[in-house]
Amino acid sequence: MTPPTPDDPHPAVPYGTPDAPRIAVRGEAHLEVDPEIARIGITVASRGKDRRTALDDLTRRNTTALDLIKSYGEAVERLETGTFSITPQLKEGRGERIHAHHGRVHITAELTDFTALGELTTRLADLDLTRVDGPWWALRPDSPAHREARQQAVREAVQRAREYAEALGTTLAALVELADIGAENTPPAYPAAPGARMRSMAHGATEDTTAAPLDLEPQRQHVHAQVNARFTMAPPQL
């Protein structure tokens, strides 16, 4: 029989033979593990009657927020500044008269110390015109949980194939194919609805008032893995 070409729309199905029957199974794994990192989004805003005032206030508040985050040292694994804008607000009516200018800058912080996370988010939320969103809990891309899920899926595929072979009174002979059909961590790093949401504030508290740190419960992460496997087995006596 001529082997199919890469462009053949109907390639031959790899059936077994009476002397080497094949068995195809799927192995699955589902783990529930603690998160390794937490991300929060910080939005710092300003408002001024002129552009320079809004920009100066935004620069000062942005620096204050960054310094506060950096003060937590190794607890902060990553710190990034995202979008920045200064937008004029026009007065109602005819013409292009500017009523005020609004400034905004977005910061993303990634933490590994969840005890520091509750304290930091509370202190950030106490800053003037500062909004805090999150946290988004996640695993690192190279987390051992992903490897464990894949290995568990393979072990399940082998076990399932052995059970089918035993039901026929025979044993597995060889592995023909092992296909990884996807391994993923859910929820994604930035879900539509965060696992928990910090309070958002437009104005900070007075200087002599210190808010109590938020008590945050990390959201368990679900890791899935699936594989398809094909084996040959010794001919059963039917």
Side-chain angles (χ1 to χ4, degrees):
M1 179 177 179
T2 303
T5 63
D7 296 330
D8 189 349
H10 302 290
V13 179
Y15 293 116
T17 65
D19 293 331
R22 291 189 181 185
I23 181 172
V25 296
R26 172 175 294 185
E28 299 178 328
H30 178 195
L31 303 182
E32 186 175 311
V33 298
D34 290 328
E36 297 170 341
I37 55 177
R39 297 183 180 92
I40 55 174
I42 305 100
T43 303
V44 180
S46 68
R47 183 178 184 277
K49 291 185 177 181
D50 59 78
R51 182 182 296 271
R52 182 58 184 271
T53 299
L55 182 57
D56 288 345
D57 287 346
L58 184 63
T59 300
R60 174 175 51 82
R61 289 168 182 159
N62 178 65
T63 300
T64 299
L66 289 176
D67 289 345
L68 175 57
I69 298 170
K70 292 176 181 178
S71 70
Y72 281 79
E74 294 182 355
V76 181
E77 187 170 273
R78 181 177 298 177
L79 179 61
E80 299 175 339
T81 299
T83 57
F84 158 80
S85 65
I86 291 287
T87 307
Q89 178 186 351
L90 300 179
K91 291 183 178 181
E92 296 182 359
R94 297 181 178 180
E96 294 183 349
R97 294 178 298 172
I98 296 176
H99 177 66
H101 285 81
H102 296 269
R104 191 177 303 272
V105 63
H106 183 74
I107 304 167
T108 301
E110 186 175 286
L111 286 85
T112 56
D113 186 336
F114 300 156
T115 301
L117 175 67
E119 179 182 309
L120 174 59
T121 51
T122 302
R123 294 179 66 184
L124 286 168
D126 270 339
L127 299 178
D128 288 341
L129 292 176
T130 301
R131 169 174 173 163
V132 184
D133 292 285
W136 292 274
W137 309 97
L139 297 174
R140 292 186 179 88
D142 60 350
S143 171
H146 298 298
R147 180 178 66 252
E148 174 58 28
R150 290 190 289 265
Q151 292 178 344
Q152 185 172 315
V154 172
R155 289 192 292 268
E156 184 186 79
V158 174
Q159 179 61 30
R160 182 174 294 184
R162 282 175 177 165
E163 292 173 355
Y164 284 130
E166 290 173 1
L168 293 171
T170 185
T171 58
L172 298 179
L175 173 66
V176 177
E177 178 183 331
L178 181 66
D180 183 352
I181 57 177
E184 62 181 7
N185 171 36
T186 56
Y190 290 95
R197 184 177 178 85
M198 310 301 178
R199 56 180 175 156
S200 298
M201 299 186 62
H203 298 281
T206 57
E207 293 182 359
D208 59 348
T209 301
T210 302
L214 288 167
D215 185 10
L216 302 175
E217 291 295 332
Q219 186 181 55
R220 299 275 286 177
Q221 302 298 289
H222 298 272
V223 184
H224 304 273
Q226 293 181 325
V227 295
N228 284 339
R230 294 180 183 273
F231 302 85
T232 58
M233 55 185 174
Q237 299 297 321
L238 300 178

